Amino acid sequence: MNPFDGYQVPQGFFSEEGLYQNKRYQLFRAVNKANEQPVTLKKNRPDGGEIMEVSKLSHEYNILRSLDHPGILKVTELISSGKMVTLVQEWFEGV
């Protein structure tokens, strides 16, 4: 069984690959269909939609949105659907 099964990509994106997961979050590389730009999707796990994880991702989004520094990835949006929240960040190709 694929550990990333059960993840539904938000409308407007298509997933390219699952990158990482722990007991709270899943991280994916995806593409924004509107501008064809690669992005990172960070989402609370489908089996752990705890309100605290939703709150943490919302807080992370608000902090990152206010920062403007070349060493910090930009967030583009926060997508919320019930107990599921997805943080969308620009993609950075690592070394």
Side-chain angles (χ1 to χ4, degrees):
M1 181 172 129
N2 183 343
F4 293 98
D5 284 347
Y7 175 77
Q8 293 188 358
V9 178
Q11 241 180 345
F13 299 90
F14 64 87
S15 177
E16 292 196 324
E17 76 176 299
L19 300 172
Y20 173 80
Q21 73 175 344
N22 61 24
K23 64 181 181 175
R24 294 186 178 123
Y25 304 108
Q26 294 177 317
L27 198 63
F28 293 83
R29 183 176 64 185
V31 174
N32 184 327
K33 290 179 183 177
N35 58 18
E36 298 185 358
Q37 294 296 308
V39 296
T40 302
L41 302 177
K42 182 178 182 181
K43 183 171 184 168
N44 58 313
R45 292 196 36 147
D47 56 350
E50 298 292 329
I51 191 71
M52 187 59 110
E53 301 341 311
V54 171
S55 178
K56 286 178 183 179
L57 278 177
S58 297
H59 187 66
E60 182 177 343
Y61 171 76
N62 288 324
I63 290 171
L64 290 173
R65 187 177 63 171
S66 68
L67 300 176
D68 186 18
H69 187 276
I72 299 174
L73 294 174
K74 306 282 186 270
V75 293
T76 57
E77 64 184 299
L78 185 69
I79 303 167
S80 181
S81 176
K83 290 185 175 184
M84 301 303 294
V85 174
T86 304
L87 180 70
V88 182
Q89 291 182 285
E90 65 182 347
W91 174 257
F92 175 76
E93 199 64 51
V95 183

